[in-house]
């Protein structure tokens, strides 16, 4: 998933330049800004099941009662068994809503290496990641702020164990930056 939503009180300075805003929604007491999204479409909710890409999306983790078992089943798809868990969490066909920042946060909260293969994780581990994703997204939606423990903190101490946070590009089709703690989450692709 590309782009991100920020919510601000009216009049507050945005944390990204206005030139990167793709959509701005203003309601009394709040301004929601979508930055950097490559595509923005506006349509009625009732046509969502017919939309070519939206109809293929996994469960929306920001829905009132997302089907978490369905998300785990989709992550379990044999086609994804060889993927790293960091890449799988970004696949919106498995579960919808997790972007790169939240991917990093969720894996840190779960103390799991982003380079673990999906096929090597049991259902309980996948379920925990999906629940954490839902919780972090809800927290962001409710407060306008998300917990950030490793994202864009390369070289700084891990808030849990004080080891320096590492960063690497990850993913073949669409490499994204992965930040993680090699001590409490586990080694990276180089085994360190
Ligand atoms: Zn750590």
């Amino acid at each position: 998933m590309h782009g991100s939503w920020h919510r601000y009180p009216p009049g507050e300075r945005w944390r990204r330049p206005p030139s990167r805003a793709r959509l701005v929604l203003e309601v009394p007491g709040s301004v929601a800004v979508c930055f950097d999204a490559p595509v923005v479409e506006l349509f009625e909710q009732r046509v969502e099941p017919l939309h070519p890409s939206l109809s293929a999306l996994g469960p929306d983790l920001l829905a009132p009662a997302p089907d978490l078992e369905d998300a785990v089943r989709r992550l379990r798809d044999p086609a994804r068994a060889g993927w790293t868990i960091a890449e799988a969490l970004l696949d919106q066909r498995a579960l919808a809503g997790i972007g790169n920042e939240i991917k990093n946060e969720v894996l840190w909260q779960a103390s799991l290496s982003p380079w673990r293969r999906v096929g090597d994780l049991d259902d309980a581990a996948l379920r925990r990641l999906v629940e954490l994703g839902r919780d972090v997204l809800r927290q962001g939606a409710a407060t306008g702020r998300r917990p950030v423990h490793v994202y864009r903190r390369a070289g700084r101490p891990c808030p849990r164990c004080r080891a320096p946070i590492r960063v690497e590009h990850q993913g073949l089709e669409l490499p994204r930056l992965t930040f993680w703690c090699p001590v409490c989450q586990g080694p990276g692709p180089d085994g360190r």
Side-chain angles (χ1 to χ4, degrees):
M1 180 178 263
H2 285 272
S4 59
W5 283 94
H6 292 191
R7 196 174 88 181
Y8 301 104
E12 186 175 296
R13 189 184 162 86
W14 297 354
R15 294 193 302 278
R16 290 190 187 167
S19 60
R20 286 168 62 184
R22 296 292 174 267
L23 182 69
V24 181
L25 294 175
E26 290 192 46
V27 294
S30 258
V31 181
V33 189
C34 177
F35 290 100
D36 301 323
V39 179
V40 174
E41 289 183 66
L42 188 65
F43 51 84
E44 289 182 64
Q45 190 172 18
R46 63 190 167 86
V47 302
E48 199 172 303
L50 303 174
H51 190 282
S53 46
L54 288 184
S55 59
L57 288 181
D60 176 3
L61 294 187
L62 266 177
D67 186 345
L68 302 186
E69 286 307 313
D70 185 33
V72 171
R73 260 195 309 277
R74 287 166 179 256
L75 285 170
R76 265 281 165 257
D77 186 313
R80 293 190 185 88
W83 291 26
T84 63
I85 185 59
E87 291 170 277
L89 288 176
L90 291 177
D91 185 350
Q92 306 297 307
R93 294 165 301 180
L95 66 178
I98 293 189
N100 199 43
E101 180 180 338
I102 294 181
K103 167 202 87 178
N104 284 288
E105 177 64 24
V106 161
L107 289 167
W108 181 83
Q109 287 196 15
S111 299
L112 201 63
S113 167
W115 276 270
R116 293 284 299 274
R117 302 280 158 184
V118 177
D120 296 335
L121 298 173
D122 62 21
D123 280 358
L126 294 181
R127 168 90 189 195
R128 169 140 173 79
L129 292 171
V130 173
E131 286 173 354
L132 284 171
R134 174 199 60 189
D135 294 347
V136 171
L137 280 167
R138 277 187 181 167
Q139 190 180 339
T143 64
R145 303 199 188 287
R146 292 170 178 158
V148 177
H149 292 98
V150 290
Y151 186 65
R152 292 187 176 157
R153 291 175 52 91
R156 294 163 71 182
C158 167
R160 195 159 44 208
C161 76
R162 314 309 292 169
I165 289 165
R166 288 185 62 188
V167 60
E168 291 277 353
H169 281 99
Q170 186 175 19
L172 293 175
E173 283 182 26
L174 203 66
R176 312 296 299 271
L177 284 178
T178 290
F179 299 82
W180 85 107
C181 171
V183 172
C184 63
Q185 290 182 253
D190 54 6
R192 290 190 290 117

